[in-house]
Amino acid sequence: MYRGRLERDLSLWVGKGLLGQETAGALLAEYDSRPASFSLGRVLMALAAVLLAAAILLVVASNWEAIPRLVRVGGILALIWFVHIAAARMLARGATAAAGGLLVIGAMSFGGAISLVGQMYHLSGDEQTVMYLWFAIATISAILFRSAAVTVVAGFLSWASFAVCLENNDTHWIGFDPWMAPVMAMIVIGLVRYTGAERARHLAYLLLIGWLAWLYTLYEEIAVALAFAVGGMAAFVLTALPLRPIASLVRSAGAAPAFYSFLVAVIGFLLLHIEIEDGWGLVVLGVVTLAASVLAIVLRGRDNGAVRYLAYATFAAEMLYLASVTVGSILGTSSLFLFSGLVVALVAWMVIRLERRFSANAQGERA
């Protein structure tokens, strides 16, 4: 999809005389020489690694009663050493897909080894401790081998650890364990930046959002919902403003920080709508929600398609909600749409004027 847009843009620039045909061909050839973001072979290799790792875990779960303990422990440790040595050799040869699959098997085998030793020797401890240790080992493996595949495994283990925490505590806040979810999410984000596993960052952001949503279920207060809306919008504005060093960090992280921070704000507005059902408070909340949607489009609508479509959906849903709940007549609905249209038109006029001014200033600087 991106290659098609790039080819069309290059053809357009060549037609306008902005770019030479040879340069355009060289740029397109350089893009084609890059490793493909999607590789069927890598996907199949990852699926094979997951299936093999699942087979190992199931064998461990069976407890191998007929096999001596020493043989069982030695077998799982030998498997761990074998796959990591083989992965190192594959990396030295440049076979990153095969190395990633072997490292996934190794990371999963660590969990099997922990469970095996625990069930054989009846060691004290709980599932939460096992998940912490498993996540720590996967993190170390991802760092040592700079493996994007193991970073993904660590991302899923962070989710599994959070699920175990909720199950053990019956979804209540008990002790220090609930804090580990955001800590693990930040570790996964660090691994993403170190290993280049760009898609794994979504696991971390979604874990943070899930943790925040769980916090609301604990209290269900309007102050918590307001904190989500205000905090989300504040984080979104910070990602949009050219502030150093935040701007460079956001730019290197792509579109995700702006989208997920705005998503937190949208969730906060939704929770506020649940808490505020009528009266002038609902009208004010509706206007603020519409304004936040317009602000998101103004700040990030051009460069971030995910934010743009989320803002569109939020604006449309809010308009329909206000029309159905707060207005009782066709004339009132018409007035609401008229007022909203005039406000958005005014904002659009201001944005167009600012864009023209910025464009003129940029052209003057180049001249």
Side-chain angles (χ1 to χ4, degrees):
M1 182 180 296
Y2 173 73
R3 188 190 185 282
R5 292 199 304 268
L6 177 61
E7 189 173 8
R8 289 194 298 271
D9 289 339
L10 291 174
S11 299
L12 178 63
W13 295 334
V14 170
K16 292 183 176 181
L18 301 175
L19 198 66
Q21 183 65 47
E22 294 182 359
T23 304
L27 291 174
L28 195 60
E30 193 280 331
Y31 175 80
D32 291 336
S33 66
R34 299 177 185 177
S37 59
F38 173 80
S39 171
L40 181 59
R42 292 183 180 181
V43 172
L44 293 177
M45 185 67 71
L47 291 176
V50 171
L51 292 173
L52 292 173
I56 293 171
L57 293 178
L58 289 175
V59 170
V60 171
S62 67
N63 208 7
W64 314 349
E65 293 296 341
I67 303 176
R69 291 181 175 180
L70 185 60
V71 175
R72 280 181 269 171
V73 175
I76 194 71
L77 291 178
L79 175 63
I80 292 173
W81 276 102
F82 171 77
V83 295
H84 281 85
I85 293 174
R89 292 178 63 88
M90 289 295 179
L91 287 174
R93 296 178 181 178
T96 56
L102 290 171
L103 289 173
V104 169
I105 296 175
M108 300 299 288
S109 299
F110 270 116
I114 297 170
S115 300
L116 179 63
V117 173
Q119 67 184 219
M120 285 194 311
Y121 297 99
H122 306 288
L123 298 179
S124 60
D126 55 13
E127 293 177 330
Q128 192 68 71
T129 304
V130 171
M131 295 309 304
Y132 291 158
L133 182 58
W134 197 353
F135 176 82
I137 292 173
T139 299
I140 294 173
S141 178
I143 294 173
L144 292 178
F145 290 89
R146 203 161 194 168
S147 171
V150 182
T151 298
V152 174
V153 173
F156 281 109
L157 288 177
S158 66
W159 270 97
S161 176
F162 183 49
V164 170
C165 176
L166 294 181
E167 182 179 1
N168 290 344
N169 297 336
D170 195 22
T171 70
H172 293 95
W173 186 294
I174 299 177
F176 180 78
D177 288 337
W179 285 110
M180 290 304 296
V183 171
M184 287 184 173
M186 298 307 297
I187 292 175
V188 171
I189 292 175
L191 290 177
V192 166
R193 300 186 69 89
Y194 179 70
T195 63
E198 297 297 329
R199 291 177 177 82
R201 71 171 71 250
H202 298 291
L203 294 172
Y205 287 124
L206 290 173
L207 177 58
L208 288 173
I209 291 177
W211 183 75
L212 291 174
W214 170 65
L215 287 183
Y216 177 76
T217 64
L218 294 179
Y219 302 101
E220 295 187 1
E221 297 178 356
I222 191 172
V224 179
L226 183 62
F228 286 3
V230 175
M233 285 305 301
F236 172 76
V237 172
L238 286 177
T239 63
L241 297 178
L243 300 177
R244 296 181 180 180
I246 298 176
S248 59
L249 291 175
V250 170
R251 193 179 303 109
S252 61
F259 171 75
Y260 285 109
S261 57
F262 184 56
L263 179 60
V264 170
V266 171
I267 294 174
F269 289 127
L270 175 62
L271 297 177
L272 286 172
H273 278 79
I274 296 175
E275 299 290 342
I276 304 174
E277 299 181 354
D278 52 21
W280 281 104
L282 180 59
V283 175
V284 173
L285 176 60
V287 172
V288 172
T289 304
L290 294 175
S293 302
V294 174
L295 179 63
I297 295 173
V298 171
L299 294 179
R300 284 294 183 186
R302 177 181 178 181
D303 302 324
N304 194 320
V307 170
R308 181 169 65 250
Y309 289 119
L310 179 59
Y312 287 161
T314 303
F315 187 91
E318 186 63 30
M319 288 296 300
L320 293 175
Y321 179 74
L322 290 177
S324 63
V325 174
T326 65
V327 182
S329 65
I330 296 178
L331 181 61
T333 304
S334 175
S335 301
L336 174 65
F337 287 158
L338 175 62
F339 174 75
S340 301
L342 291 175
V343 171
V344 174
L346 178 61
V347 173
W349 177 79
M350 295 174 60
V351 170
I352 291 174
R353 291 293 300 271
L354 289 174
E355 287 179 342
R356 289 178 178 175
R357 180 174 297 180
F358 292 153
S359 177
N361 291 338
Q363 292 178 0
E365 291 177 358
R366 287 197 295 267

